[in-house]
Amino acid sequence: MTTAERLKIIEASCKQVGRGVFFSTLIIVASFLPVFLLEGQEGKLFGPLAWTKTFILAIDAILAVTLAPVLISFFLKGKLRTDDHNPLNRGLERIYRPVLNWCVTWRKTTIGINIVALLVSVPLLLSLGSEFMPPLDEGTILFMPVTQPDVSNAQAKQLLQVQDKIIKSVPEVANVLGKAGRANTATDNSPISMTETIVLLKPKSEWRPGIRKEDIINELNAKLQIPGVVNGWTQPIINRINMLSTGIRTDVGLKVYGQNLDTINALSTKMKQALIGLDGVKDLYVDPITGGKYLDIQVNKDAIGRYGLSVDDVNEIVESALGGMNLTTTVEGRQRFSVNARLAQDYRSNLEAIKRTLVQTMNNGPIPLSSVADIKISDGPAMIQSENALLRGTVLFNVRDRDLGSTVKEAQDRLNTMVKTLPKGYYIEWSGQYENLIRAEHTLKMILPIVLIIIFACLFFAFHSIREAFFSLISIPFALIGGAYMVYFFGVHLSVAVAVGFIALFGIAVETGIVMVIYLNDAMQQLVALKGNSKETITKADLREYVMNGAVKRLRPKLMTVCVALFGLVPVLWATGTGSDVMQPIVLPMIGGVLTSSTHILLVTPLIFLMVKEYELRKHGKLEVLEVKES
């Protein structure tokens, strides 16, 4: 073979598959459009994945039609051998040909099996639960109990110490760090009644045999049943994300809006009672907005008039004794600290001692504060929360041992009657992770039909035939079969991560289908070139033989397309450590979908192609042959 002949063969081969490879790459990029439109947490998490893959594939699409042919001309030299010389290829063909022959012979059975498998996958998908994102195991636990809003500093400190001691008694716990109240920052508005305890766990190799993180949480929760305290279990990172994005520190929050705090609290308490006992609902409590205690000092103007005092004189005593008065500022290097003076904590915590606080008068000497002011403890809101210019209360709970979507759906069903009878000006809103779930579902449902239209358009431009585009696009539903089975049998809930996996699967399935359709049409071109394009010269046996050859003789490139995807994905199933529980829901539908879509493409696509060609020959007297030209 001369160099010119070799280059001519390479050129023809590249023209044959170049257009399909280029458009299949564009289809994979188009299938990732929904990921670019995701917002919030899901957008920040999967956006880098989509951008990285898009840039890689964009360069790949250009190199496939420019650099690849040049490299082939350099390295494809010497004695060229056919596929039959490869023992692996011969072995695969020996298996594939009789199976494909059986499928072509038993057409109705083959198509029926595929349709039944597709129909069975639909209820499997519908039976799966839904959640926003797979729970990421951060390796640590955040314990966030809430007690009564009028708890004192001393009681909160004692409670924190007792809880930390109990937590440390569990063998799997390495260290415990607890905090009560808020830090010295305006961004942390935690009341003294809410404590935060970070529980650091030992390496899993040091855990008791057979114990899981969920078991540790359940054991800790059982040991920490303290009267007046409602336990809450989460993780440090996801807790901060939830609080910053939705204002809710648990998985789900039911926000109650209205005009009166007492009414809001009463409605919240009723809703909490309705949700008690609901499967999957854990750590259920009402965020306290009433029950706070206030030291109420009201100046008696008649009394201060008799003693020759003013309101400012009394307020000054209250400020300096209880609130603290700024005396001076101390400078320590580059830092400056204010110096305040006030009465000791024990004195300020005693109502009778506060009443005996002395107020200096001009003519009567020092007199007790109770002589010129009414001093009492009054009830009031523990913390006033507002949103959208309305007062707000919240019913909070986490979801464990069940999916988020069905848990909230059942909770909504329980509260339907109560919601319909809310007083005028009061309404509720579901928030937390459920709010993110609804937003992501809305985005995906809106953009997926558009993506399918874009994929179909790319297929049409690749083949210039609606029928051929349909042949490649029909592989998508059958790719869903394997994805649905894998997700179902691994017990994974539907989430944004699973949706991203299915989105990536669409492009891979279509890419394999394009390769098959190209080679089947190449077989038809060979048949027409040999026998002409007429039903007088072409028989059904000829059609069957050339379709079989088009499918079997190009088995290796099709399997290589599938194996490249599988070899890159299967190792993720055995991945461990932080992040693996998010990656597995992405690759599960891709692995299962690649297997079923490739099976469909290898066995059913040639069958449907043969049936269509037989119909064309019978109806029109000739074949419609797709000629793959240079793009």
Side-chain angles (χ1 to χ4, degrees):
M1 181 185 298
T2 64
T3 302
E5 292 174 338
R6 180 173 58 85
L7 292 178
K8 187 175 181 180
I9 294 174
I10 293 174
E11 180 184 0
S13 300
C14 291
K15 287 180 180 180
Q16 181 185 29
V17 300
R19 188 185 191 92
V21 171
F22 179 80
F23 278 99
S24 65
T25 306
L26 291 184
I27 287 169
I28 296 177
V29 174
S31 67
F32 266 82
L33 284 178
V35 182
F36 290 113
L37 297 180
L38 293 176
E39 304 171 346
Q41 301 175 39
E42 65 274 22
K44 290 180 174 63
L45 181 61
F46 295 112
L49 168 66
W51 281 110
T52 302
K53 188 164 187 176
T54 297
F55 285 128
I56 291 174
L57 290 174
I59 299 300
D60 175 67
I62 297 172
L63 295 180
V65 296
T66 56
L67 181 62
V70 177
L71 294 178
I72 292 173
S73 66
F74 281 131
F75 293 105
L76 195 61
K77 296 179 179 179
K79 186 177 181 180
L80 302 180
R81 296 181 179 182
T82 62
D83 290 345
D84 296 335
H85 288 80
N86 189 319
L88 178 61
N89 201 65
R90 289 199 305 269
L92 291 173
E93 286 187 10
R94 288 195 187 102
I95 299 172
Y96 177 49
R97 183 178 286 276
V99 174
L100 179 59
N101 185 62
W102 185 92
C103 293
V104 172
T105 303
W106 300 92
R107 302 181 179 187
K108 294 182 180 179
T109 303
T110 302
I111 295 176
I113 291 174
N114 276 263
I115 293 176
V116 169
L118 179 61
L119 294 177
V120 171
S121 66
V122 174
L124 287 183
L125 281 176
L126 295 178
S127 66
L128 295 174
S130 60
E131 60 188 4
F132 172 57
M133 289 290 294
L136 174 66
D137 184 7
E138 300 174 17
T140 56
I141 300 172
L142 180 62
F143 178 47
M144 294 187 67
V146 177
T147 185
Q148 299 301 317
D150 58 350
V151 65
S152 66
N153 291 347
Q155 289 173 324
K157 180 180 178 181
Q158 182 184 9
L159 180 63
L160 187 63
Q161 292 173 340
V162 171
Q163 290 171 341
D164 289 355
K165 186 175 181 180
I166 295 174
I167 293 173
K168 190 64 176 67
S169 66
V170 175
E172 285 72 23
V173 175
N175 294 294
V176 185
L177 176 63
K179 173 183 79 71
R182 65 186 183 191
N184 188 23
T185 171
T187 60
D188 187 357
N189 60 348
S190 302
I192 193 67
S193 59
M194 186 180 75
T195 61
E196 298 180 6
T197 301
I198 297 178
V199 183
L200 301 180
L201 302 176
K202 296 178 181 178
K204 289 188 177 181
S205 59
E206 301 179 22
W207 291 9
R208 287 168 286 176
I211 197 168
R212 303 173 302 162
K213 187 177 180 181
E214 292 78 8
D215 301 326
I216 297 175
I217 293 177
N218 292 333
E219 181 179 348
L220 289 171
N221 191 58
K223 288 185 175 183
L224 290 167
Q225 295 299 317
I226 301 174
V229 178
V230 180
N231 294 341
W233 300 93
T234 180
Q235 299 181 101
I237 298 176
I238 190 63
N239 172 259
R240 296 306 178 196
I241 292 175
N242 288 340
M243 293 181 71
L244 289 173
S245 60
T246 65
I248 300 299
R249 57 179 174 269
T250 54
D251 294 339
V252 183
L254 177 58
K255 297 178 180 178
V256 184
Y257 295 93
Q259 303 291 339
N260 183 274
L261 288 177
D262 292 329
T263 305
I264 292 174
N265 185 65
L267 292 173
S268 301
T269 304
K270 283 185 180 180
M271 294 177 183
K272 174 200 169 184
Q273 295 299 324
L275 296 178
I276 291 177
L278 184 65
D279 185 29
V281 172
K282 307 293 183 182
D283 312 329
L284 175 64
Y285 67 97
V286 175
D287 204 7
I289 56 175
T290 61
K293 301 296 182 182
Y294 292 86
L295 178 62
D296 194 357
I297 302 176
Q298 296 183 353
V299 178
N300 187 329
K301 294 185 177 180
D302 293 335
I304 63 174
R306 290 194 298 268
Y307 288 106
L309 299 172
S310 65
V311 174
D312 289 341
D313 294 333
V314 179
N315 287 341
E316 187 176 349
I317 294 298
V318 173
E319 177 189 358
S320 59
L322 305 181
M325 180 174 290
N326 190 3
L327 300 179
T328 184
T329 300
T330 177
V331 179
E332 299 181 10
R334 294 179 58 83
Q335 296 178 315
R336 286 164 171 76
F337 303 94
S338 60
V339 179
N340 293 355
R342 60 179 177 176
L343 297 178
Q345 176 69 44
D346 293 341
Y347 190 92
R348 290 183 283 114
S349 301
N350 189 318
L351 183 61
E352 294 303 320
I354 293 174
K355 291 181 178 180
R356 293 194 299 270
T357 302
L358 297 178
V359 179
Q360 185 65 39
T361 64
M362 292 291 292
N363 302 319
N364 300 285
I367 60 174
L369 180 61
S370 58
S371 300
V372 291
D374 298 323
I375 306 172
K376 61 181 179 179
I377 301 295
S378 302
D379 293 329
M383 180 184 295
I384 299 177
Q385 299 178 358
S386 64
E387 190 173 335
N388 297 326
L390 289 173
L391 297 175
R392 189 199 77 187
T394 317
V395 182
L396 303 172
F397 63 89
N398 289 314
V399 178
R400 291 198 295 272
D401 305 324
R402 190 180 177 185
D403 68 287
L404 179 68
S406 64
T407 303
V408 176
K409 179 66 170 59
E410 187 175 347
Q412 290 173 338
D413 293 339
R414 284 197 180 188
L415 297 176
N416 273 342
T417 304
M418 189 181 302
V419 170
K420 293 177 182 177
T421 58
L422 287 176
K424 185 178 180 181
Y426 291 79
Y427 67 95
I428 67 170
E429 181 181 85
W430 292 90
S431 187
Q433 291 290 327
Y434 182 73
E435 179 183 346
N436 296 328
L437 172 63
I438 297 301
R439 184 189 65 244
E441 284 184 350
H442 176 74
T443 301
L444 292 173
K445 288 178 181 178
M446 178 184 66
I447 194 64
L448 277 178
I450 301 176
V451 170
L452 291 177
I453 294 174
I454 294 175
I455 291 176
F456 186 82
C458 290
L459 290 171
F460 176 76
F461 288 123
F463 298 117
H464 296 298
S465 170
I466 294 179
R467 185 180 64 252
E468 307 296 346
F470 177 75
F471 282 154
S472 298
L473 191 65
I474 201 175
S475 61
I476 290 181
F478 292 94
L480 294 176
I481 297 176
Y485 279 103
M486 285 288 285
V487 171
Y488 179 81
F489 288 115
F490 272 81
V492 175
H493 298 308
L494 293 177
S495 63
V496 177
V498 174
V500 170
F502 275 112
I503 289 169
L505 171 63
F506 292 168
I508 297 175
V510 172
E511 179 184 24
T512 312
I514 288 177
V515 175
M516 173 61 83
V517 172
I518 287 175
Y519 287 133
L520 289 176
N521 278 284
D522 178 58
M524 291 300 96
Q525 291 177 25
Q526 296 176 18
L527 175 61
V528 169
L530 181 66
K531 291 197 170 185
N533 194 358
S534 172
K535 65 179 180 180
E536 282 78 19
T537 58
I538 299 176
T539 65
K540 288 187 177 181
D542 294 330
L543 275 177
R544 176 167 177 163
E545 178 186 355
Y546 275 82
V547 168
M548 291 277 293
N549 289 335
V552 174
K553 293 300 182 181
R554 298 295 187 268
L555 179 62
R556 186 172 64 180
K558 300 163 195 169
L559 289 179
M560 287 176 62
T561 305
V562 174
C563 291
V564 166
L566 285 179
F567 291 159
L569 296 174
V570 169
V572 180
L573 294 180
W574 288 275
T576 58
T578 303
S580 60
D581 36 12
V582 176
M583 291 304 301
Q584 287 181 358
I586 298 178
V587 302
L588 282 175
M590 295 176 67
I591 293 174
V594 166
L595 291 174
T596 55
S597 67
S598 59
T599 303
H600 169 83
I601 290 166
L602 291 174
L603 300 178
V604 183
T605 299
L607 170 58
I608 297 177
F609 187 87
L610 174 60
M611 294 171 65
V612 171
K613 293 305 175 183
E614 289 177 351
Y615 171 79
E616 290 175 358
L617 200 63
R618 183 175 62 254
K619 183 74 173 178
H620 305 292
K622 64 177 183 177
L623 301 176
E624 293 184 17
V625 182
L626 171 67
E627 295 184 4
V628 181
K629 298 180 180 179
E630 185 178 2
S631 176

